[in-house]
């Protein structure tokens, strides 16, 4: 378990599939994410039950509020390779009442600290829609910098958006606001 001041990051439990399904079915939660195709609750449960255990190349953790023990989001370091010391970060908070309260920033800091200290990564990258200003602020606050763009590669509400690639190197993580 990775513990912060207001959250902890911990492995996902099979019974939490219904929470994931609820988040993934909410257009507001999925607004800036590539949601794929709709799934039934049974499909989400089956996918969660079949998920591989956490390993070096794919670490998926739930974000749990210490205040009430509720699962509020997910973080993932995927595609990690020891040869390159690189991994890609995915993060989202599914509980909308937790948005804008610093939980996302703390979750990103914790998972990046874990990646650099425990996994011995040198670099963590992510992709974010240019119009997702809230997420971009979180990433910049933690130390991520824009490194490139995939122009007009994400479509939402009939409009094309650039996807921004951001990167964080070992030693650049800002542990304080």
């Amino acid at each position: 378990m990775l513990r912060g001041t207001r959250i902890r990051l911990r492995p996902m439990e099979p019974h939490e599939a219904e929470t994931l399904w609820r988040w993934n079915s909410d257009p507001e939660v999925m607004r800036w994410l590539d949601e794929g195709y709709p799934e039934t609750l049974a499909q989400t449960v089956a996918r969660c039950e079949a998920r591989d255990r956490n390993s070096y190349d794919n670490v998926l953790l739930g974000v749990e509020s210490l205040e009430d023990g509720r699962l509020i989001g997910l973080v993932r370091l995927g595609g990690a390779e020891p040869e390159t010391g690189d991994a890609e970060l995915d993060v989202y908070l599914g509980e909308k009442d937790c948005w804008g309260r610093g939980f996302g920033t703390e979750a990103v800091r914790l998972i990046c600290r874990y990646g650099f200290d425990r996994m011995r990564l040198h670099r963590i990258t992510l992709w974010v829609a240019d119009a997702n200003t809230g997420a971009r602020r979180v990433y910049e606050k933690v130390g991520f910098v824009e490194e490139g763009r995939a122009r007009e590669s994400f479509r939402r509400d009939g409009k094309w958006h650039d996807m921004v690639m951001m990167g964080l190197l070992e030693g650049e993580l800002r542990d304080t606001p």
Side-chain angles (χ1 to χ4, degrees), residues 61-154:
L61 299 172
V63 179
E64 180 182 281
S65 166
L66 292 175
E67 180 179 70
D68 57 12
R70 180 173 55 135
L71 180 70
I72 62 171
L74 303 173
V75 293
R76 179 178 164 270
L77 287 174
E81 297 180 0
E83 297 84 5
T84 62
D86 190 27
E88 189 167 327
L89 172 66
D90 295 310
V91 58
Y92 80 103
L93 295 184
E95 296 299 335
K96 293 184 276 190
D97 65 325
C98 295
W99 293 359
R101 297 179 51 200
F103 292 112
T105 304
E106 187 171 352
V108 170
R109 277 194 182 108
L110 279 174
I111 194 64
C112 288
R113 176 60 50 219
Y114 177 82
F116 293 134
D117 291 351
R118 299 283 304 276
M119 296 173 67
R120 292 175 285 180
L121 295 173
H122 177 66
R123 172 183 175 73
I124 298 172
T125 59
L126 60 86
W127 287 90
V128 60
D130 63 347
N132 189 350
T133 56
R136 291 184 64 191
R137 266 194 309 273
V138 166
Y139 303 140
E140 289 166 356
K141 191 183 307 182
V142 171
F144 281 87
V145 296
E146 182 175 332
E147 295 183 339
R149 283 178 179 257
R151 297 178 306 137
E152 296 186 6
S153 59
F154 181 80

Side-chain angles (χ1 to χ4, degrees), residues 17-18 20-21 24 39-49:
E18 187 170 340
L20 298 178
W21 178 79
N24 293 342
E39 282 186 330
T40 65
L41 175 56
Q43 289 169 322
T44 302
V45 168
R47 186 170 44 84
C48 289
E49 288 173 350

